Amino acid sequence: MKRKASSILARPSPYHSSVTLYEATEEATTVRRSKRIKSELGSSTVPLENEQTIEAARPSTSIEATPKKAPRAKLVKVFKMDEESASSSTPSTTEPPKRKRATASPRKPKPIPTALETPHPAPARWQETYDTIKRMRAQIVAPVDTMGCDQAQLKETDPKNQRFSTLVSLMLSSQTKDEVTDAAVTKLRDAVGGSLSVDAILQADESAIADAICKVGFWRRKTE
């Protein structure tokens, strides 16, 4: 694109003495005939008639003015944006109401089988193996024979206290040897008054129970 040589007029700034303002004179402006430029809408073109291009020059370089964008393309784009924002902000009245999902009915618990339909076959020669272990065991006295959980009931006379003492002994035997369990049950019986009963345990102090069974495993939880 050919242009005429620009003439620049320099003058001092009225606001600051060290600033020089440069202005292009009338000879720097040219009038071009109409041409067609592409708009922002796509491949369509918009004619622009008598478009004026003005050169603004600096002291050392000159800047070519870019052609103005088509105003029609801007208006159409803004109008489309307004339509989209209006459609997104205002809900459509023609849409059918959403149906609520039906709540799922509670599942019925599956019955737990208490017996096998087909019993497992008995191991081969199990009776012979059991009798052999029983004969071997009869010659050895283990701690469970004299200090097992079933031995706690032998020191009680009331049948209800016998059942309760067996229950207490079983609770204390978890993660504990039989010798330690039997000693803890004996010490607990003495701490609550000589007999293991529900009333005696309820009336006993928690610290007394803890001191009696502190040798068993997880004695804090078992005290509670």
Side-chain angles (χ1 to χ4, degrees), residues 88-104:
S88 62
S89 60
T90 57
S92 176
T93 56
T94 58
E95 292 183 359
K98 295 182 180 180
R99 296 181 180 179
K100 295 183 179 180
R101 293 182 180 180
T103 56

Side-chain angles (χ1 to χ4, degrees), residues 167-181:
L167 175 62
V168 171
S169 180
L170 287 170
M171 293 172 63
L172 298 180
S173 66
S174 176
Q175 302 294 322
T176 309
K177 294 182 179 181
D178 293 327
E179 303 94 318
V180 180
T181 302

Side-chain angles (χ1 to χ4, degrees), residues 137-210:
R137 182 68 175 79
Q139 301 175 5
I140 301 172
V141 178
V144 69
D145 298 328
T146 57
M147 294 176 286
C149 296
D150 60 327
Q151 300 295 320
Q153 62 180 338
L154 301 179
K155 299 179 181 180
E156 301 290 342
T157 56
D158 187 5
K160 186 176 181 180
N161 293 343
Q162 290 177 357
R163 296 191 295 270
F164 182 69
S165 61
T166 303
L167 175 62
V168 171
S169 180
L170 287 170
M171 293 172 63
L172 298 180
S173 66
S174 176
Q175 302 294 322
T176 309
K177 294 182 179 181
D178 293 327
E179 303 94 318
V180 180
T181 302
D182 183 72
V185 172
T186 302
K187 192 174 181 180
L188 180 62
R189 181 181 288 108
D190 296 337
V192 297
S195 179
L196 278 179
S197 61
V198 178
D199 296 335
I201 293 294
L202 292 177
Q203 294 176 5
D205 191 9
E206 184 175 350
S207 60
I209 297 176

Side-chain angles (χ1 to χ4, degrees), residues 6-18:
S6 60
S7 60
I8 302 172
L9 178 62
R11 62 183 180 87
S13 175
Y15 302 103
H16 202 280
S17 60
S18 63

